[in-house]
């Protein structure tokens, strides 16, 4: 075989190989384009160019679709937190800034309707507006002080109204909580002054109660001393000089006990009596 014939055979082989490779590449691309994955916490809504949004959403896993004709749109169906700030007025016309933490998820049975009406960013389109609407309506029913003392009740009412409102857009509200509540500077200063006044009033009340108790204690003590003097006087009148003699003996015993502890005192016997003498050298 000549070199020319060998070169022509090699060229034909390379051309056939290139055709096969091209076919395999196109086939691989077609297979890859017809597969899509749905991760955990997600669902896929299929849009068909001829039939529109298909009525069944795809669950988690790998699925097939018709390339070019069908397109898979992945929707997040997990419970998602969102912080929504709002500035509104209370019943007594006090401005308050509220930050509401809302946990939401889409209704699994209405994903096609949500995608058709709102798109993939459904919560961004609807949730801030309806939350602000509900917040303003609920807060306007309470005074500024009630927002502080009835915080749980306010949160529960916001949750009930927001759940009802979100149902119109096929959302499910899992939880609602007020994470931040701040009033204007003037109202905050008024609250501080009120607290100081209440503390002063409690302190004054305590002083009054203390004085009253001390007065009562003094009265009781005076009555006790008066009663004691009366009893002693009566006992002295009835017993004659006997009680006085008893008191004299008790006083003598106390004096003897006191002198007995001193080193400068000496004891000298004198008949039936004990004489005391002071030692000047000590």
């Amino acid at each position: 075989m000549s070199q020319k014939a060998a070169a022509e055979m090699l060229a034909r082989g390379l051309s056939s190989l290139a055709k096969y490779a091209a076919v395999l590449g196109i086939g691989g691309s077609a297979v890859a384009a017809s597969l899509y994955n749905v991760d955990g916490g997600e669902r896929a809504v299929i849009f068909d160019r001829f039939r529109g949004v298909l009525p069944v959403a795809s669950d988690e896993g790998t699925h097939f679709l018709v390339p070019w004709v069908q397109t898979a749109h992945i929707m997040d169906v997990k419970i998602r937190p969102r912080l929504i700030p709002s500035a509104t007025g209370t019943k007594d016309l006090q401005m308050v800034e509220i930050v509401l933490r809302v946990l939401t998820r889409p209704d699994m049975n209405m994903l096609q309707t949500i995608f058709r009406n709102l798109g993939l960013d459904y919560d961004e389109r609807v949730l801030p507006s309806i939350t602000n609407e509900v917040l303003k309506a609920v807060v306007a029913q309470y005074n500024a002080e009630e927002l502080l003392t009835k915080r749980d009740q306010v949160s529960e009412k916001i949750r009930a109204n927001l759940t009802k409102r979100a149902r119109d857009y096929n959302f499910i509200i899992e939880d609602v909580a007020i994470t931040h509540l701040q009033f204007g500077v003037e109202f905050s200063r008024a609250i501080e002054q009120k607290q100081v006044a209440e503390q002063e009033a409690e302190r004054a009340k305590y002083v009054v109660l203390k004085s009253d108790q001390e007065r009562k204690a003094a009265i009781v003590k005076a009555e006790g001393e008066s009663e004691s003097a009366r009893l002693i006087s009566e006992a002295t009148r009835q017993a004659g000089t006997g009680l006085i003699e008893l008191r004299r003996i008790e006083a003598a015993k106390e004096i003897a006990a006191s002198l007995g502890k001193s080193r400068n005192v000496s004891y000298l016997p004198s008949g039936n009596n004990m004489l005391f003498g002071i030692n000047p050298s000590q």
Side-chain angles (χ1 to χ4, degrees):
M1 180 182 295
S2 65
Q3 292 182 352
K4 183 178 180 180
E8 291 178 355
M9 184 178 296
L10 179 60
R12 286 195 296 270
L14 292 175
S15 177
S16 299
L17 182 61
K19 292 179 181 179
Y20 291 139
V23 171
L24 290 175
I26 294 173
S29 299
V31 171
S34 63
L35 295 175
Y36 65 94
N37 291 322
V38 180
D39 296 331
E42 297 178 343
R43 296 292 185 272
V45 176
I46 306 301
F47 175 75
D48 190 287
R49 293 180 181 271
F50 302 104
R51 294 179 292 170
V53 178
L54 300 185
V56 179
S58 302
D59 294 331
E60 302 168 1
T62 301
H63 305 272
F64 292 93
L65 52 72
V66 180
W68 186 81
V69 177
Q70 296 178 337
T71 306
H73 298 274
I74 306 299
M75 298 185 68
D76 188 354
V77 296
K78 297 188 294 292
I79 297 176
R80 292 189 288 182
R82 188 180 182 90
L83 295 177
I84 302 176
S86 179
T88 183
T90 62
K91 187 177 180 180
D92 52 351
L93 304 181
Q94 296 291 336
M95 292 303 299
V96 57
E97 295 181 2
I98 298 179
V99 177
L100 200 66
R101 174 177 162 272
V102 184
L103 299 181
T104 62
R105 65 178 177 85
D107 188 345
M108 301 288 287
N109 298 321
M110 303 298 293
L111 294 179
Q112 294 82 1
T113 302
I114 295 175
F115 175 77
R116 186 183 298 110
N117 296 335
L118 302 175
L120 295 177
D121 56 344
Y122 51 89
D123 56 343
E124 183 69 29
R125 290 173 178 267
V126 175
L127 194 58
S129 60
I130 64 175
T131 301
N132 276 281
E133 174 189 343
V134 170
L135 267 176
K136 293 179 183 298
V138 173
V139 171
Q141 302 175 19
Y142 294 89
N143 295 329
E145 187 174 354
E146 291 176 337
L147 291 180
L148 298 175
T149 59
K150 301 179 180 180
R151 189 162 180 164
D152 294 340
Q153 179 180 335
V154 175
S155 296
E156 187 61 31
K157 194 164 187 177
I158 291 174
R159 176 177 180 176
N161 291 359
L162 188 58
T163 299
K164 182 178 179 180
R165 191 73 175 87
R167 199 174 295 126
D168 297 336
Y169 298 93
N170 302 304
F171 294 167
I172 296 176
I173 304 296
E174 295 291 344
D175 188 44
V176 171
I178 298 175
T179 60
H180 180 72
L181 188 64
Q182 182 176 356
F183 294 94
V185 177
E186 294 182 358
F187 183 76
S188 299
R189 188 181 298 113
I191 291 179
E192 182 178 355
Q193 292 174 353
K194 181 180 178 181
Q195 291 176 345
V196 172
E198 290 178 350
Q199 291 176 358
E200 292 294 336
E202 288 295 327
R203 187 178 295 109
K205 183 179 178 181
Y206 169 75
V207 171
V208 172
L209 291 176
K210 181 180 178 182
S211 301
D212 186 59
Q213 292 298 325
E214 290 177 349
R215 180 182 59 82
K216 292 180 178 179
I219 293 174
V220 171
K221 181 179 179 181
E223 291 177 349
E225 291 177 351
S226 176
E227 181 67 15
S228 176
R230 186 187 66 79
L231 293 175
I232 292 174
S233 176
E234 183 178 351
T236 302
R237 186 175 63 254
Q238 293 178 358
T241 61
L243 180 60
I244 297 176
E245 185 66 20
L246 176 62
R247 296 298 189 190
R248 187 183 67 79
I249 295 173
E250 291 176 352
K253 290 174 63 177
E254 292 179 0
I255 293 172
S258 299
L259 292 176
K261 297 178 182 179
S262 176
R263 294 181 298 174
N264 297 328
V265 178
S266 300
Y267 302 92
L268 301 175
S270 177
N272 295 329
N273 298 323
M274 184 70 70
L275 299 180
F276 299 92
I278 300 176
N279 189 351
S281 63
Q282 296 182 353

